[in-house]
Amino acid sequence: MESLTFYKDGILSGDRRILAKAITLIESRLADHRERGRLLLEELLPHTGRAVRLGITGVPGVGKSTFIESFGMQLIDMGYKLAVLAVDPSSRRSGGSILADKTRMEQLCKAEQAFIRPSPSGGTLGGVARMTRETLLLCEAAGFQVVIVETVGVGQNETAVAGMVDFFLLLMITGAGDDLQGIKKGILELADAVVINKADGDNLIKAENARKELASVLHLMQPSTLTWTVPVLTCSALTRSGLKGVWQAVQDYHRRMTASGELEAKRRNQALEWMWSLVEEGLKDRFHRHPAIRSRLDRTVARVRQGDLGPATAARELLFLLDNP
Ligand code: GDP
């Protein structure tokens, strides 16, 4: 097995093959691989933090892949190196994810300056989010200046991604009926920018109207910081119009939030929340692997289900076993 120095030097020199190998350590189910991954991350920590971390969400069909392809190629034209990751725990396909279908990002996949990694497959949102977050740090250490994390707009994925990026972009399209229908307010609250895609052809006026409508809705919402007003923009991932404006917004945000110290604070808070979620995951893991608990659990669950034992007493008894084997 290769030494940690092999991985560290390889990643710091931007070797994509070694970067990919290191990611497989992090994604491994083997405890000693993951431990090596953790040690490697610790070594690389001083070399992380230099990328713009950008989250992108939107319901299927909104144009995420097309947007990332066009936006990514624009960034490459500007001289940036970018990594594209994904969080998609619902995917059960082997190695599968929204990004697995590489034909959807044909140009980016071929580009030297882009590194594309599909969502780790199979597992809980917590596990997938951990792997993606750690992969993000590896990509930063490998010199990628922009890291995009894509997720599908369902359930809790957004919250997990918003917790690992600097800037969270909500991609939308205008619907046939009420444009605001179907956006969950919680997701709108996470967004640092809302971008209405497919503003082209016959759809141009509708997209512009939706933009105005959304801007007035957002205007009524309590801003999370006085430093930043969430913009509503339009673009076409197909014709590539409006994409420069999106990048402008991301850069504006970075500039202002860095100057005010809020970006640093945000990242530190994210790191702390991350620590807590790992502690919780670790505790759960210890609980379920504890021999005395394992031998007792089925019976306790059955008794609670039958109403023979109260939930509070059951929990107390099980937790007691954790400390008193
Ligand atoms: P995803 O499921 O969110 O990743 O969406 P895709 O990127 O796969 O796009 C879904 C469909 O919308 C595809 O047929 C795209 O060609 C189309 N599409 C994406 N962006 C645009 C756009 O800006 N304008 C138009 N007219 N179609 C688009």
Side-chain angles (χ1 to χ4, degrees):
M1 198 185 262
E2 276 90 1
S3 67
L4 274 190
T5 320
F6 165 85
Y7 284 110
K8 186 182 171 188
D9 293 348
I11 288 172
L12 289 178
S13 73
D15 186 319
R16 302 158 60 111
R17 201 177 49 84
I18 296 176
L19 171 64
K21 272 183 97 148
I23 297 172
T24 61
L25 280 185
I26 278 166
E27 293 180 353
S28 173
R29 290 184 198 285
L30 301 175
D32 71 316
H33 282 186
R34 279 168 60 164
E35 178 58 10
R36 286 167 60 78
R38 187 186 66 75
L39 290 172
L40 178 62
L41 270 175
E42 207 60 44
E43 289 267 317
L44 289 172
L45 212 58
H47 304 278
T48 63
R50 282 181 296 219
V52 172
R53 305 168 178 175
L54 177 62
I56 294 183
T57 191
V59 295
V62 78
K64 289 181 297 301
S65 313
T66 316
F67 177 87
I68 293 170
E69 162 102 337
S70 298
F71 190 68
M73 288 312 292
Q74 173 191 279
L75 290 176
I76 286 174
D77 288 344
M78 290 174 179
Y80 292 101
K81 282 172 65 182
L82 88 150
V84 182
L85 316 176
V87 170
D88 181 17
S90 66
S91 167
R92 290 280 177 268
R93 281 174 288 154
S94 61
S97 84
I98 22 186
L99 286 171
D101 184 4
K102 294 218 164 175
T103 54
R104 297 170 81 192
M105 296 184 198
E106 214 174 326
Q107 284 180 292
L108 263 193
C109 286
K110 286 188 209 139
E112 269 288 304
Q113 301 88 334
F115 179 82
I116 299 188
R117 183 83 183 183
S119 174
S121 65
T124 59
L125 173 59
V128 169
R130 172 189 69 78
M131 295 172 199
T132 306
R133 190 188 159 100
E134 292 177 354
T135 300
L136 183 151
L137 296 174
L138 291 182
C139 290
E140 282 189 340
F144 292 95
Q145 299 130 321
V146 181
V147 182
I148 294 179
V149 184
E150 178 193 11
T151 192
V152 259
V154 287
Q156 293 298 303
N157 301 3
E158 278 93 354
T159 319
V161 172
M164 66 177 89
V165 297
D166 304 327
F167 191 95
F168 196 59
L169 191 158
L170 172 63
L171 208 58
M172 290 184 58
I173 41 173
T174 57
D178 180 359
D179 286 320
L180 292 174
Q181 242 170 31
I183 327 172
K184 293 172 220 109
K185 192 159 170 284
I187 292 175
L188 215 49
E189 277 164 3
L190 292 175
D192 297 301
V194 182
V195 177
I196 298 167
N197 188 33
K198 308 197 188 182
D200 47 44
D202 293 344
N203 209 26
L204 207 55
I205 293 166
K206 251 168 57 184
E208 183 53 31
N209 289 338
R211 189 192 66 74
K212 286 184 194 141
E213 192 185 345
L214 249 177
S216 62
V217 169
L218 281 168
H219 190 68
L220 299 173
M221 280 169 51
Q222 192 73 26
S224 60
T225 165
L226 292 177
T227 313
W228 183 248
T229 311
V230 177
V232 186
L233 308 165
T234 57
C235 80
S236 167
L238 211 60
T239 68
R240 302 196 172 181
S241 75
L243 295 183
K244 287 216 162 62
V246 176
W247 180 237
Q248 188 73 52
V250 175
Q251 283 187 306
D252 269 359
Y253 178 89
H254 243 257
R255 217 174 2 249
R256 288 192 213 176
M257 297 292 277
T258 302
S260 70
E262 285 164 278
L263 187 66
E264 183 62 26
K266 182 174 183 169
R267 286 181 168 189
R268 286 185 184 192
N269 274 334
Q270 288 175 333
L272 208 54
E273 274 176 29
W274 187 241
M275 181 198 81
W276 282 118
S277 77
L278 288 177
V279 167
E280 278 165 28
E281 219 179 277
L283 282 174
K284 254 192 205 161
D285 199 46
R286 263 178 58 198
F287 179 89
H288 286 289
R289 283 193 298 147
H290 194 283
I293 292 173
R294 282 173 70 141
S295 65
R296 194 58 179 271
L297 196 57
D298 283 352
R299 202 154 50 90
T300 307
V301 167
R303 287 177 66 205
V304 173
R305 186 169 280 143
Q306 282 160 10
D308 294 343
L309 185 65
T313 307
R316 192 165 179 276
E317 280 178 17
L318 289 170
L319 289 171
F320 180 79
L321 290 175
L322 196 62
D323 298 322
N324 303 277

